[in-house]
Amino acid sequence: MNTPREEAEYLVLKFLILQGYGSAKWFHKTLAKQCALIVVNEMIEESIGYLSIDRNKYWKEVKSELQKL
């Protein structure tokens, strides 16, 4: 399992690859980060009542790391 920091970086990279790398990399990274935050927010919301407290905490830590990127 990835650390929350590694997971945050992985998700952003996935969205960067999906978008392709263009000349305005700052825009692409900002957009990729926003997309990753949407996914993580969904994971947090969906995990209430379904995932263990540890998994919910993990996704909250991933969100915190995404916000730091």
Side-chain angles (χ1 to χ4, degrees), residues 40-60:
V40 170
N41 282 329
E42 288 294 318
M43 291 297 293
I44 292 168
E45 287 179 30
E46 293 296 320
S47 69
I48 297 171
Y50 293 101
L51 294 179
S52 70
I53 293 170
D54 290 338
R55 290 299 288 167
N56 191 282
K57 180 182 175 201
Y58 173 78
W59 286 111
K60 287 180 179 179

Side-chain angles (χ1 to χ4, degrees), residues 4-69:
R5 176 71 179 197
E6 291 169 339
E7 189 69 26
E9 291 172 350
Y10 173 79
L11 288 170
V12 170
L13 180 61
K14 283 293 197 181
F15 283 106
L16 280 171
I17 291 169
L18 185 63
Q19 297 175 62
Y21 293 97
S23 59
K25 287 183 182 178
W26 66 268
F27 174 77
H28 288 288
K29 185 174 181 182
T30 300
L31 185 57
K33 182 178 163 182
Q34 289 174 342
C35 291
L37 280 167
I38 289 168
V39 168
V40 170
N41 282 329
E42 288 294 318
M43 291 297 293
I44 292 168
E45 287 179 30
E46 293 296 320
S47 69
I48 297 171
Y50 293 101
L51 294 179
S52 70
I53 293 170
D54 290 338
R55 290 299 288 167
N56 191 282
K57 180 182 175 201
Y58 173 78
W59 286 111
K60 287 180 179 179
E61 290 173 5
V62 172
K63 180 178 180 177
S64 176
E65 292 296 332
L66 276 169
Q67 292 168 331
K68 293 177 191 176
L69 292 179

